Amino acid sequence: MVELGEKDESAPELLAVVRRPQAGPEDLPEGDDAVVLVLDRPTSPGNVGSLARSADALGAHAVVVTGHAADPWDPRALRASTGSMFALPVIAVDDPAPVLGWRDRRRSSAGQVTIVGTDEGGETLLPHADLHGSVVLVVGNETRGMSLAWSEACDVVVSIPMTGSASSLNAAASGSIALYELARRRWT
């Protein structure tokens, strides 16, 4: 039990065996106000799980993990998500193409879809960004930021206003703040 639970100090109280949900691009949402969180090549399973938890708590409809990335079903990701990985579709794809195809289909049926990238050098402050309609929120790799493919796909790249000496936030913190801003606007 200690080995299966991957805990050093003791055996877990519970060990669950579950079937991993099989979600694909066909599970992307159809609503007019959809929020899709894209994690571009994340390396930390903990960040994947933490962002899935934030996505679930703040009303996102799907999480997409793209590129060579941490496994969203890694036990560390599952622990960090506290079960949220099972509450919404978590879709792993090789590149942006499936999400961009979804965006194009949505736009052709008169649906507004904005791809919003996050970057400390983003030209638009998050509070000033137009975030109406459906939004694809892209959070880049923890070290290198967004890939060129995602950067080019973005309609807008936002930054989070900050004070103090920190030059940036980690991926889980910045993604959670951006998800909160999207949710806050929909709640008011």
Side-chain angles (χ1 to χ4, degrees), residues 21-138:
Q22 298 296 314
E26 67 279 0
D27 295 306
L28 288 168
E30 294 299 323
D32 292 333
D33 221 12
V35 175
V36 175
L37 175 64
V38 171
L39 308 179
D40 179 23
R41 302 164 298 126
T43 57
S44 167
N47 281 344
V48 173
S50 293
L51 281 162
R53 183 177 182 179
S54 292
D56 179 25
L58 296 168
H61 300 95
V63 174
V64 178
V65 179
T66 64
H68 184 71
D71 180 5
W73 302 105
D74 182 292
R76 293 168 291 181
L78 293 173
R79 276 194 300 275
S81 82
T82 65
S84 289
M85 298 291 279
F86 299 102
L88 67 168
V90 177
I91 303 162
V93 294
D94 292 332
D95 55 51
V99 177
L100 298 180
W102 171 83
R103 174 208 57 191
D104 294 343
R105 287 188 300 280
R106 302 275 303 134
R107 283 183 176 170
S108 70
S109 64
Q112 179 180 345
V113 179
T114 305
I115 298 182
V116 178
T118 57
D119 186 88
E120 66 185 55
E123 69 271 8
T124 303
L125 291 177
L126 178 60
H128 301 147
D130 180 3
L131 303 174
H132 294 90
S134 293
V135 172
V136 175
L137 177 65
V138 182

Side-chain angles (χ1 to χ4, degrees), residues 109-187:
S109 64
Q112 179 180 345
V113 179
T114 305
I115 298 182
V116 178
T118 57
D119 186 88
E120 66 185 55
E123 69 271 8
T124 303
L125 291 177
L126 178 60
H128 301 147
D130 180 3
L131 303 174
H132 294 90
S134 293
V135 172
V136 175
L137 177 65
V138 182
V139 176
N141 175 277
E142 295 93 333
T143 304
R144 294 179 295 282
M146 286 185 292
S147 64
L148 181 60
W150 275 115
S151 293
E152 290 176 350
C154 289
D155 299 302
V156 62
V157 178
V158 299
S159 60
I160 296 168
M162 298 188 312
T163 60
S165 61
S167 65
S168 65
L169 298 168
N170 76 14
S174 62
S176 295
I177 290 168
L179 285 165
Y180 175 78
E181 179 65 13
L182 284 165
R184 184 191 66 77
R185 291 184 187 198
R186 282 162 169 74
W187 295 333

